[in-house]
Amino acid sequence: MIKMVDLHKSYRVGTEEVKVLKGIDLEIKQGSMVAIMGRSGSGKSTLLNIISGLEKGNGRYTFKDQNLSDKSLNELADFRRKHIGFVLQNCAMCDSKNVFDNVALPLRYGKYNEIEIQNRVEKALEAMELSGTLHKTVDMLSGGELQRVAIARALIHNPEVILADEPTGSLDEQTEQTILSIFKQLHREGKTIIIVTHDRQVADACEETFCIRDGKIRSD
């Protein structure tokens, strides 16, 4: 499903070029659940951004045999809206909006009417056992509830791939297990799950773990 061959990524810091990814070779099968590990600054989040189309790298990147390497940023944004759901460690919620509006946000960029949006949001929150939070402001929720709202938002447009960047990093162990159970269920339903994590327990819950060392992928 996802294949990268000799992918490189550098950033300009002042007058210096910093090489982050130095020839990534990676293949992730459709419907798999994988972890990506590595030290801080190793390029894990950069790799996730390239998979999602938020950033471009140098090299070949194909998604279901579609070459994304030569796509424009606008074309990549369209790809992302159709295929990718994001779950971030800090949840990235709009504090001024209630749960409904936060989950509905990705649908506002599509051609959905208000009835469709209402139905999709209610169904997504029900799946996360959060129906009672619909009109609550996000500052009223616990860390675990916030992360489940973030998952509901990631799923709202039915993406094929869920990208999760340290999704359990700020949670206690019990809540972490709840979130992992949700990811495992999504995996059983056929979603492709890619989790960036420092937590070996999270990685062990996945089918396969890839480690980034010295800018390259090492299968663990």
Side-chain angles (χ1 to χ4, degrees), residues 128-148:
M128 294 295 113
E129 299 182 356
L130 289 170
S131 297
T133 69
L134 195 65
H135 300 296
K136 288 184 178 181
T137 55
V138 293
D139 60 355
M140 297 175 64
L141 305 181
S142 67
E145 288 173 329
L146 274 173
Q147 199 59 286
R148 282 186 283 153

Side-chain angles (χ1 to χ4, degrees), residues 88-103:
L88 304 175
Q89 179 180 356
N90 63 6
C91 302
M93 295 291 158
C94 297
D95 293 338
S96 61
K97 298 182 181 294
N98 62 19
V99 169
F100 176 90
D101 288 332
N102 270 282
V103 175

